Amino acid sequence: MRQAEVVDAEEDKEFGADHNGYNLPEELQRREDRRDKIRSLREQLEREKREKQHLKEGQTPIIEDKEQRSFAERDARLMLMKRGEFDTATMPRLA
């Protein structure tokens, strides 16, 4: 037990008390979180497209290459603006 306590104390000094050896480094955790967001948005996009294309749950919808979603504002879409450029914007909601 004493030997394990000594090793634990040495590891706490080297790696910090909050790291147990199984935690991902901060940079990798950020990437994991971003990947999870991307997957979530992809699944949402596929559900929307399935509804519009009247497909069943297992069927793969057709998604255009330019189809995008915003992390910051989920309702935002890439739209052609009056000045002829594309920009991210949201459609006004009608009551």
Side-chain angles (χ1 to χ4, degrees):
M1 286 298 283
R2 288 182 189 170
Q3 183 181 6
E5 290 173 0
V6 169
V7 170
D8 284 344
E10 289 173 2
E11 288 176 351
D12 286 348
K13 286 180 187 175
E14 186 175 348
F15 302 112
D18 295 335
H19 292 86
N20 61 8
Y22 297 104
N23 298 341
L24 286 174
E26 188 175 322
E27 174 65 20
L28 289 178
Q29 184 60 47
R30 186 185 69 78
R31 290 179 186 183
E32 294 273 327
D33 293 343
R34 183 168 173 81
R35 186 195 67 203
D36 292 342
K37 283 182 184 179
I38 291 170
R39 282 186 178 154
S40 172
L41 287 172
R42 176 72 184 196
E43 290 169 1
Q44 179 184 352
L45 176 61
E46 287 177 352
R47 274 193 306 275
E48 290 173 12
K49 291 296 180 178
R50 252 188 236 106
E51 277 183 29
K52 287 182 180 179
Q53 297 171 14
H54 306 289
L55 300 174
K56 296 178 182 175
E57 185 61 34
Q59 294 177 305
T60 304
I62 298 170
I63 300 173
E64 297 292 325
D65 290 339
K66 293 182 180 181
E67 192 78 36
Q68 297 182 11
R69 293 293 185 266
S70 170
F71 289 128
E73 193 172 344
R74 294 200 177 216
D75 292 334
R77 302 291 182 264
L78 197 59
M79 298 182 179
L80 181 61
M81 307 309 266
K82 288 182 181 180
R83 60 187 182 269
E85 299 172 352
F86 285 94
D87 199 2
T88 304
T90 55
M91 293 290 293
R93 294 186 185 213
L94 303 174

